[in-house]
Amino acid sequence: MDEDDRPLFHEEHRLFRRQVRAFLAKEIVPHHPQWERDGIVPRDLWRKAGRAGLLCPTVSEEDGGPGGDALHSAVVIEELARIAASGPGFWIHSEMVAPYVSNFGNSQQKARWLPKLVSGEAIGAVAMTEPDAGSDLRGMKTRAVRRDGGWLLKGQKVFISNGQLADVVVVAAKTAQSTESNSISLFLVDAASPGFHRGRNLEKIGAHAQDTSELFFEDVLVSHDALLGEEGAGFRQLMKGLARERLSIAISCQAKAQFAFDQTVGYAQTRRLFGGKLIDLQNTRFRLADVKTELVVGRSFVDDMLRRYLEGHLDGNTAAIAKLWTTEMLGRVVDTCLQLHGGWGYMTEYPIARAYIDARVERIAGGASEVMREIIGKTLP
Ligand SMILES: Cc1cc2nc3c(=O)[nH]c(=O)nc-3n(C[C@H](O)[C@H](O)[C@H](O)COP(=O)(O)OP(=O)(O)OC[C@H]3O[C@@H](n4cnc5c(N)ncnc54)[C@H](O)[C@@H]3O)c2cc1C
């Protein structure tokens, strides 16, 4: 389906898409191979993206943002997928960090961070996962203890996207010694705080332009103002944030699958074998017909999820269904598409090879498929 034919999107979104597309073509596409080698994108890109209106589309005008809606967010996510950008981590910044501040921050926290997140002066990250606690967040060990003047944070996080660049980190920490859901609180930690250290930019099998870090909190003293929302509300806040995160992943995976399909159709139209073209073999057409069918089904499913979100009733269970189905679908699609490229599909100079590798994390990050099945399974009678 042509992007311009999607009934959910209006003229303003179509115009925005064209602006985003032009920005990415100029500011990301030519540099992306170098950033993949560097393992990170330059900070300057964030400021340019901020100036071009790509960051935090849904932050209200009152809070210093552009006042767009989830469809503007979807446009940025989809266009990044359309060029197979493995970095920058705009969506974590825009779809996770900024909403945490908008939804749960007090007026001082909003005034301090939102305008800078919108302009790209400050880069955001979310730190939940620890070396021994990912799916089982209640098992986290990072603690925040009340002290005169604020909270003392001690612990370690891992796999944190944007961790090398982040100026502000939404940190999940235990504020009570239990595994009850009210034992976790969220903090907005300024990366300039004494005791905050960045560890390695971890070497991954894919998503090479995206920095992914260890973070260390060695008795980081933050003021009372760093607590985001109420003490003990962290788990509830994370669940709300995760619904949006999972919708964003679903939007991205749908667009990434479309990218893999487009690449493969193009390849099959030019690849010659047995005196004809790859696209003319019945097997190729059948396999691509299956992929196209998944894409058409997925498009209407993802747009329905977006509509639910816009109307304010995308619940956590439905977001889990969206994450599970689209990430598994992307896995099937990139595998089929790589196969149709033959040996060239295994060569990283071909976009499908990178798409295949980059897709693998989607079934893990943001909640593994098994966790999604647990969530969905709990709704069964
Ligand atoms: C590239 C990348 C970027 C990431 N970015 C961030 C980030 O920015 N911020 C952040 O906080 N985290 C981030 N993560 C962490 C990510 O969310 C976790 O890796 C994920 O939630 C899984 O946690 P884990 O790695 O600890 O695996 P574990 O929790 O140890 O799970 C191992 C495996 O156990 C299985 N499993 C888990 N739970 C169940 C269950 N209930 N039933 C059956 N099987 C189960 C699954 O197969 C799972 O994959 C990122 C991870 C990666 C790889």
Side-chain angles (χ1 to χ4, degrees):
M1 183 189 277
D2 190 307
E3 295 305 341
D4 286 347
D5 291 341
R6 289 159 68 188
L8 205 53
F9 291 76
H10 303 132
E11 189 53 27
E12 60 169 307
H13 305 113
R14 289 190 265 278
L15 270 171
F16 183 59
R17 189 182 291 279
R18 285 197 271 284
Q19 286 163 13
V20 172
R21 209 170 268 193
F23 177 87
L24 301 187
K26 179 164 175 259
E27 302 293 349
I28 294 193
V29 172
H31 312 291
H32 194 262
Q34 182 58 44
W35 298 342
E36 289 233 309
R37 288 190 285 279
D38 297 343
I40 197 161
V41 303
R43 177 169 279 275
D44 192 38
L45 171 70
W46 288 80
R47 297 208 186 91
K48 287 182 186 167
R51 280 197 293 277
L54 268 69
L55 301 179
C56 312
T58 59
V59 169
S60 69
E61 288 179 20
E62 187 193 342
D63 286 332
D69 58 26
L71 298 174
H72 293 94
S73 292
V75 165
V76 178
I77 295 167
E78 289 172 354
E79 292 302 312
L80 281 164
R82 208 181 67 85
I83 57 161
S86 66
F90 287 166
W91 74 272
I92 291 147
H93 171 99
S94 301
E95 308 307 320
M96 293 186 70
V97 180
Y100 276 125
V101 182
S102 293
N103 292 333
F104 307 116
N106 58 34
S107 52
Q108 281 154 313
Q109 290 166 331
K110 288 185 191 180
R112 179 172 178 201
W113 291 112
L114 288 176
K116 287 186 181 173
L117 290 170
V118 170
S119 68
E121 265 173 273
I123 297 171
V126 175
M128 297 182 272
T129 308
E130 302 187 357
D132 294 322
S135 310
D136 183 11
L137 278 179
R138 291 175 204 207
M140 71 174 62
K141 295 199 180 89
T142 299
R143 302 218 167 271
V145 182
R146 273 186 194 278
R147 280 282 180 278
D148 285 346
W151 296 86
L152 201 63
L153 263 76
K154 199 179 179 58
Q156 179 182 351
K157 299 287 176 179
V158 77
F159 306 150
I160 306 307
S161 307
N162 295 347
Q164 293 291 307
L165 291 171
D167 301 288
V168 57
V169 185
V170 177
V171 180
K174 280 277 176 83
T175 43
Q177 297 268 12
S178 79
T179 51
E180 297 297 314
S181 53
N182 62 3
S183 61
I184 295 173
S185 303
L186 297 187
F187 294 86
L188 274 175
V189 177
D190 186 331
S193 310
F196 172 86
H197 302 292
R198 303 172 208 273
R200 289 172 298 157
N201 185 6
L202 298 162
E203 285 187 24
K204 308 186 293 294
I205 60 169
H208 290 302
Q210 172 67 59
D211 57 306
T212 307
S213 304
E214 301 169 309
L215 299 180
F216 299 95
F217 303 84
E218 291 172 11
D219 291 334
V220 177
L221 183 64
V222 294
S223 69
H224 289 299
D225 287 350
L227 180 68
L228 191 55
E230 288 165 33
E231 180 181 346
F235 203 74
R236 238 178 21 248
Q237 293 167 324
L238 287 174
M239 290 310 111
K240 183 170 168 141
L242 280 171
R244 181 159 173 175
E245 177 184 2
R246 288 171 184 157
L247 171 65
S248 303
I249 293 173
I251 293 166
S252 179
C253 287
Q254 172 70 25
K256 285 171 178 167
Q258 182 71 51
F259 171 82
F261 174 76
D262 293 342
Q263 288 291 317
T264 309
V265 170
Y267 181 80
Q269 282 167 337
T270 53
R271 177 71 176 172
R272 297 197 68 83
L273 71 178
F274 301 113
K277 289 184 186 158
L278 177 58
I279 192 88
D280 296 328
L281 298 176
Q282 189 187 49
N283 175 67
T284 308
R285 303 188 72 77
F286 276 16
R287 300 302 303 272
L288 288 174
D290 285 344
V291 171
K292 183 166 181 173
T293 303
E294 297 231 66
L295 287 173
V296 171
V297 173
R299 166 57 54 232
S300 100
F301 170 58
V302 170
D303 281 359
D304 186 52
M305 295 296 120
L306 256 167
R307 183 188 54 74
R308 285 172 191 242
Y309 185 82
L310 285 167
E311 291 170 1
H313 53 86
L314 179 72
D315 59 89
N317 177 57
T318 314
I321 293 174
K323 203 234 169 210
L324 177 64
W325 191 82
T326 52
T327 58
E328 298 280 335
M329 179 273 287
L330 176 62
R332 292 191 292 276
V333 167
V334 291
D335 189 63
T336 299
C337 290
L338 187 150
Q339 186 69 17
L340 288 171
H341 278 72
W344 291 113
Y346 202 66
M347 301 299 132
T348 52
E349 67 193 82
Y350 272 76
I352 193 62
R354 293 197 307 279
Y356 176 85
I357 293 289
D358 290 350
R360 190 58 188 87
V361 74
E362 307 289 5
R363 286 183 273 158
I364 299 169
S369 288
E370 293 73 15
V371 173
M372 298 305 105
R373 291 189 180 100
E374 277 291 330
I375 295 170
I376 301 159
K378 284 192 182 126
T379 66
L380 300 178

